[in-house]
Amino acid sequence: MGLGKLTDEQLDILGEVANISMGTSATALGMMINQKVNITTPRIEVINRSESLDDYSNICIFVQIHYIKGLEGNNILILKDHDVKCMTDLMMGGDGSNVEGEITDIQLSAASEAMNQMMGSSATSLSSMLGIPVDISTPEVKWIDVESVKIFERMFETNVEKFVKVTFRMEIGNLVDSTMVQLYPENFACDMCEKFKESKLQAKDTE
């Protein structure tokens, strides 16, 4: 699998940024569902757009995040249907076991609130790492059949073929041990790396 334009240094930066920002997200989610949420060190790779859904079967939940300040563009989180149902059941006072049937509008609404909190926390930690204000719009949450790749294609406002894929293992108490994927276009990743390096240089200059 080719690594496209990204250097080893950039991949290391993306790993560090993902680790810190998603760790903050996990803490925010844990507070909402009153469970310990662990997210492991991410795996970073560069993939073709067509490979984006290879880890998923049947139904998955897409969360689209638009950056409205600090970074330009958007990225997507992909979660398994079962995991989102478990999270939203916990948010609504259940024990996390109500995961049968198709996901409902109420569950999607709860998932949207959870993702808003998680990605808002992530944006705050990105702000401090990149040294610039970073803000997002309310995330869009949709469920899609993995076969419905056309829906997936429309979610990115870009025709870029290479994407950075960040894979996390996510554990929620003893209820979920699963995979969560974050995807963003390669040019977005390069932009984030540049801002990260600029921030580090400015920090050194002020020491």
Side-chain angles (χ1 to χ4, degrees):
M1 193 175 298
L3 289 181
K5 296 178 294 190
L6 295 177
T7 63
D8 287 346
E9 182 195 21
Q10 286 173 315
L11 291 170
D12 286 345
I13 289 171
L14 293 172
E16 185 178 346
V17 168
N19 208 14
I20 294 170
S21 62
M22 292 313 291
T24 313
S25 295
T27 304
L29 178 62
M31 289 171 70
M32 290 185 78
I33 62 177
N34 203 25
Q35 289 275 342
K36 186 164 178 56
V37 178
N38 281 324
I39 290 181
T40 59
T41 303
R43 188 174 85 243
I44 313 280
E45 54 193 325
V46 178
I47 62 165
N48 294 319
R49 185 199 288 256
S50 58
E51 300 170 284
S52 301
L53 299 179
D54 286 359
D55 294 330
Y56 295 85
S57 57
N58 305 323
I59 304 296
C60 57
I61 307 299
F62 269 50
V63 184
Q64 184 168 217
I65 301 109
H66 292 275
Y67 289 88
I68 54 176
K69 186 187 284 184
L71 293 164
E72 276 188 31
N74 63 336
N75 63 55
I76 280 177
L77 275 180
I78 314 174
L79 297 101
K80 293 185 176 172
D81 178 62
H82 166 277
D83 304 345
V84 172
K85 288 178 189 164
C86 176
M87 278 183 223
T88 54
D89 188 40
L90 290 165
M91 285 175 71
M92 293 187 278
D95 61 5
S97 63
N98 182 19
V99 293
E100 298 305 314
E102 284 194 359
I103 196 158
T104 64
D105 286 344
I106 291 172
Q107 286 171 316
L108 277 178
S109 177
S112 181
E113 177 54 30
M115 294 304 139
N116 201 23
Q117 296 282 343
M118 283 177 72
M119 298 317 295
S121 298
S122 170
T124 302
S125 61
L126 273 176
S127 289
S128 56
M129 279 186 284
L130 303 181
I132 51 173
V134 176
D135 204 1
I136 57 164
S137 61
T138 303
E140 295 171 42
V141 179
K142 298 178 183 174
W143 73 271
I144 74 160
D145 186 310
V146 168
E147 299 303 311
S148 307
V149 178
K150 285 182 181 167
I151 297 173
F152 168 64
E153 295 278 340
R154 284 201 301 271
M155 293 185 79
F156 280 109
E157 298 145 358
T158 173
N159 54 10
V160 173
E161 283 303 320
K162 293 285 184 190
F163 282 79
V164 175
K165 177 182 178 183
V166 188
T167 308
F168 304 89
R169 182 173 161 203
M170 178 175 68
E171 299 169 330
I172 301 176
N174 58 1
L175 294 164
V176 169
D177 184 350
S178 187
T179 300
M180 178 170 67
V181 166
Q182 187 172 24
L183 286 174
Y184 32 78
E186 196 178 45
N187 53 352
F188 179 91
C190 291
D191 183 38
M192 194 154 59
C193 289
E194 283 309 305
K195 287 183 165 64
F196 183 86
K197 288 198 282 190
E198 284 167 18
S199 175
K200 288 275 194 210
L201 282 172
Q202 284 171 355
K204 277 187 181 168
D205 290 345
T206 56
E207 281 177 6

